[in-house]
């Protein structure tokens, strides 16, 4: 395999705090020998485990960048045993453009793994995480939210894994994060995800969906900040006590948890996130956008559970993910 074209301006083996960049050469019209400069912080104090903390894997999700900018700014190596690597915006070009995918190559970072050292900009970044950063880490926390088109109940999540011993360690990290909800997430499109790449390397992987709509809130930012510090304490990297609170454990047993729109139109949501719903309950209507006097199309709950995610914009298209229901674990 070719070496990565990305070079780090930080030394991963040095004690103390360093703020620098992952520099990826990117020749373009406005900068012939230019680079993409991805901010990174490394904080280390002696031997111990390594945590890799990432945000803006999708460029329009903000709790990760907010909580990680804050952590990078105030992290004190004297309180650490081990190493914390912080990348607030993995898909940095997408983050700067406030879009889910990269404006350079339309690359969706979380569908680009394992990446390629000789691929697109997005694939080169993915490859660096796959071959350089993830192997350094004992655990990875990747903070997501719904972006501009989805809104979620605030949850942290892990996956059912074939390696049950690893799943158990992931579950302990999930409990330590202590988001208001904890979900065993069923992925509908898992090829190329960072999640699988880290899990396949036998590392603890924790993700989140903490809100959405293309911004963040005081509440969702606080959940991200507390969750990250809880996980670092749980891993033995940061001194302190894990601050847990009630977290409702949810599972997603099958594809009936998802409802996709089969119509274009004006979206009327009929239940809010967190609502306990019964199979058959009216959850949404889609009205025509071009005339009055026509009945809407009704969408009903396919199963009992808790409304966990919803389409966010006021208009909807056929194929959009409209509703997600998860069920209490038990
Ligand atoms: Zn995301």
């Amino acid at each position: 395999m070719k070496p990565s074209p990305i070079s780090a301006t930080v030394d991963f083996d040095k004690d103390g705090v360093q703020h620098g960049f992952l520099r990826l050469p990117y020749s373009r019209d406005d900068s012939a020998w230019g680079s993409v400069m991805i901010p990174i912080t490394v904080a280390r104090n002696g031997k111990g485990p390594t945590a890799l903390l990432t945000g803006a894997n999708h460029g329009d999700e903000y709790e990760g960048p907010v909580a990680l900018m804050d952590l990078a700014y105030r992290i004190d190596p004297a309180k650490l045993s081990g190493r914390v690597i912080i990348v607030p915006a993995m898909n940095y070009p997408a983050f700067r453009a406030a879009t889910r995918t990269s404006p350079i190559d339309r690359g969706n970072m979380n569908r680009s793994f394992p990446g390629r050292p000789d691929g697109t900009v997005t694939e080169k970044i993915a490859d660096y995480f796959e071959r350089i950063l993830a192997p350094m880490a004992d655990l990875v926390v990747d903070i997501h939210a719904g972006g501009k088109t989805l809104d979620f109940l605030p949850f942290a999540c892990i996956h059912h894994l074939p390696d049950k011993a690893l799943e158990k360690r992931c579950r302990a990290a999930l409990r330590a994060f202590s988001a208001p909800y904890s979900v065993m997430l069923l992925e509908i499109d898992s090829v190329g995800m960072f999640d699988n790449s880290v899990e396949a390397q036998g590392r603890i992987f924790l993700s989140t969906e903490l809100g959405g709509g293309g911004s963040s809130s005081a509440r969702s930012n606080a959940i991200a900040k507390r969750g990250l510090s809880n996980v670092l304490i749980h891993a033995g990297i940061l001194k302190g006590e894990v601050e847990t609170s009630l977290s409702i454990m949810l599972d997603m047993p099958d594809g009936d948890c998802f409802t996709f729109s089969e119509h274009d139109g004006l979206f009327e949501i009929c239940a809010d996130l967190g609502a306990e719903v019964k199979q058959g309950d009216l959850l949404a209507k889609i009205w025509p956008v071009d005339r009055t006097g026509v009945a809407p199309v009704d969408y009903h709950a396919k199963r009992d559970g808790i409304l966990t995610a919803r389409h966010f914009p006021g208009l909807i298209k056929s194929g959009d993910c409209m509703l997600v229901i998860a069920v209490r674990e038990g």
Side-chain angles (χ1 to χ4, degrees):
M1 185 71 89
K2 291 183 179 167
S4 172
I6 294 178
S7 54
T9 68
V10 290
D11 178 349
F12 291 102
D13 298 320
K14 205 167 122 185
D15 277 347
V17 179
Q18 301 164 78
H19 304 287
F21 300 94
L22 302 175
R23 191 178 70 78
L24 167 57
Y26 170 49
S27 176
R28 57 197 191 268
D29 288 345
D30 69 340
S31 189
W33 286 10
S35 304
V36 175
M37 302 290 276
I38 305 165
I40 184 169
T41 291
V42 181
R44 184 174 181 274
N45 186 11
K47 294 217 182 311
T50 293
L52 171 62
L53 310 178
T54 53
N57 177 327
H58 294 123
D60 61 349
E61 302 172 1
Y62 295 99
E63 287 81 359
V66 167
L68 293 171
M69 284 290 183
D70 178 70
L71 180 62
Y73 180 65
R74 64 184 171 74
I75 198 160
D76 176 3
K79 293 184 180 154
L80 303 179
S81 314
R83 182 169 57 174
V84 183
I85 302 171
I86 301 170
V87 183
M90 272 177 95
N91 195 339
Y92 187 69
F95 170 70
R96 290 297 300 266
T99 50
R100 180 173 179 80
T101 62
S102 174
I104 296 171
D105 53 29
R106 300 276 42 121
N108 180 338
M109 183 64 68
N110 223 24
R111 303 292 183 275
S112 299
F113 278 81
R116 290 159 54 106
D118 55 358
T120 62
V121 163
T122 306
E123 287 169 336
K124 286 171 178 166
I125 298 171
D127 171 67
Y128 190 83
F129 277 82
E130 168 82 17
R131 289 193 298 141
I132 312 290
L133 293 180
M136 288 186 203
D138 299 281
L139 82 136
V140 177
V141 185
D142 188 30
I143 304 285
H144 287 255
K148 288 175 178 167
T149 65
L150 289 171
D151 195 14
F152 285 90
L153 278 182
F155 67 77
C157 53
I158 61 168
H159 302 107
H160 291 288
L161 299 174
D163 179 345
K164 290 297 162 195
L166 180 61
E167 182 182 312
K168 200 174 160 196
R169 291 160 65 216
C170 292
R171 197 181 262 263
L174 177 72
R175 269 199 299 272
F177 192 96
S178 201
Y181 295 83
S182 298
V183 178
M184 299 300 294
L185 194 65
L186 177 70
E187 299 290 351
I188 47 177
D189 179 22
S190 66
V191 173
M193 290 180 70
F194 184 36
D195 313 45
N196 307 116
S197 127
V198 175
E199 289 159 356
Q201 294 187 42
R203 268 92 186 151
I204 297 169
F205 187 86
L206 183 64
S207 186
T208 69
E209 298 290 357
L210 293 179
S215 191
S216 63
S217 66
R219 182 186 184 221
S220 61
N221 288 328
I223 293 166
K225 290 179 189 182
R226 192 188 72 154
L228 287 167
S229 104
N230 273 347
V231 169
L232 291 177
I233 294 165
H234 165 76
I237 300 172
L238 179 66
K239 292 192 180 79
E241 295 285 320
V242 174
E243 264 182 54
T244 53
S245 51
L246 175 73
S247 184
I248 297 171
M249 192 75 207
L250 302 174
D251 198 1
M252 298 178 64
D254 57 48
D256 272 355
C257 293
F258 297 92
T259 301
F260 297 90
S261 178
E262 296 179 2
H263 302 85
D264 289 1
L266 169 66
F267 182 54
E268 179 183 347
I269 189 82
C270 303
D272 285 322
L273 291 177
E276 299 262 5
V277 302
K278 292 266 172 246
Q279 186 178 13
D281 283 358
L282 177 64
L283 293 187
K285 301 177 190 181
I286 299 181
W287 293 91
V289 286
D290 60 343
R291 69 199 61 235
T292 56
V294 176
V297 182
D298 293 344
Y299 280 83
H300 300 272
K302 290 195 265 183
R303 59 160 63 251
D304 296 358
I306 291 178
L307 188 59
T308 302
R310 55 159 285 193
H311 174 77
F312 186 77
L315 298 179
I316 194 163
K317 303 181 301 301
S318 182
D320 287 349
C321 180
M322 178 164 48
L323 303 160
V324 179
I325 292 172
V327 299
R328 281 177 196 270
E329 200 179 65

